[in-house]
Amino acid sequence: CLVGSEMCIRDRCGAGCDVVQVYSRTKESAMELADKLSAEYTVSVDGIRCDADMYIVALKDSALQELLPMLVKGREQAFFVHTAGSMPMDIWKGYLSHYGVFYPMQTFSKQRAVDFATVPFFVEAGGETELKMLKELAGKLSPKVYEATSEQRKYLHIAAVFACNFANHMYAPVSYTHLRAHETLSDL
């Protein structure tokens, strides 16, 4: 797997899911995650292995669009998936024969552990074999596995972002009001 987050950690996937390499544009992030996974790491797109069964690309949307041609070069017959809620599956079309989407509807943070049993995973693939692989992998992480088209996933992602950001936005006025009333943050 080529991963950019902790979602495919061996402990959560169990037997049969070995992360062989981590790619990141920053050495610190690559080393940290690779160390947790007992995997190799690289910070060079040219250093990405060509022998993985699946490449899980967990990057910002803009980085995915920028790096996609370089990521797939020399791996055109490999199976690539991205984890973006807002990006269509067809972003891979014309580059690869085997592709899909592996979308966990969850905000990830290095500071917070995630209970994967509660995370819904939405999968989509270009073929039945690929879809089966994604459902099996998602099923190792969570019992909540669903098929969703790119259009459905886009709306799910928008709703999730709104719900998360709305709640976070509401903390700011409350904290500010509390601070002004008490003139201290120690009570928060």
Side-chain angles (χ1 to χ4, degrees), residues 1-20 22 32-39 56 102 108-110 112-114 116 121 137 140-141:
C1 293
L2 167 68
V3 295
S5 73
E6 292 188 41
M7 89 178 96
C8 191
I9 292 182
R10 186 178 298 109
D11 296 347
R12 293 185 172 88
C13 291
C17 182
D18 292 323
V19 178
V20 295
V22 172
E32 182 181 340
L33 184 54
D35 186 53
K36 288 180 184 179
L37 301 169
S38 300
I56 300 175
F102 187 73
F108 293 95
S109 166
K110 289 181 182 181
R112 189 185 55 174
V114 174
F116 279 83
F121 281 81
L137 178 59
K140 290 180 178 186
L141 295 166

Side-chain angles (χ1 to χ4, degrees), residues 40-66:
E40 299 173 14
Y41 75 89
T42 185
V43 294
S44 166
V45 173
D46 293 333
I48 296 172
R49 293 173 57 149
C50 293
D51 61 346
D53 295 326
M54 181 188 303
Y55 295 83
I56 300 175
V57 182
L59 300 168
K60 288 194 267 185
D61 295 356
S62 59
L64 174 59
Q65 289 178 314
E66 175 190 334

Side-chain angles (χ1 to χ4, degrees), residues 63-187:
L64 174 59
Q65 289 178 314
E66 175 190 334
L67 292 174
L68 187 144
M70 293 174 277
L71 291 172
V72 302
K73 187 177 180 183
R75 300 168 194 84
E76 290 82 2
Q77 297 307 309
F79 179 30
F80 273 79
V81 298
H82 69 70
T83 61
S86 61
M87 299 294 288
M89 177 181 69
D90 287 347
I91 192 170
W92 302 114
K93 205 172 206 171
Y95 290 97
L96 300 162
S97 301
H98 310 284
Y99 54 86
V101 179
F102 187 73
Y103 173 59
M105 195 164 67
Q106 173 70 41
T107 299
F108 293 95
S109 166
K110 289 181 182 181
Q111 293 78 29
R112 189 185 55 174
V114 174
D115 177 5
F116 279 83
T118 65
V119 176
F121 281 81
F122 296 91
V123 297
E124 181 181 20
E128 287 301 315
T129 302
E130 293 85 359
L131 184 61
K132 182 180 177 191
M133 287 176 68
L134 290 177
K135 284 182 172 181
E136 286 177 13
L137 178 59
K140 290 180 178 186
L141 295 166
S142 172
K144 299 177 180 187
V145 179
Y146 309 97
E147 288 183 48
T149 65
S150 292
E151 188 72 8
Q152 291 168 326
R153 194 178 61 260
K154 179 174 69 174
Y155 288 111
L156 287 166
H157 179 69
I158 290 168
V161 168
F162 177 80
C164 180
N165 289 346
F166 181 75
N168 288 338
H169 176 72
M170 294 309 293
Y171 287 123
V174 171
S175 296
Y176 179 74
T177 302
H178 190 271
L179 175 64
R180 289 205 45 181
H182 296 283
E183 296 187 21
T184 180
L185 285 176
S186 64
D187 294 336

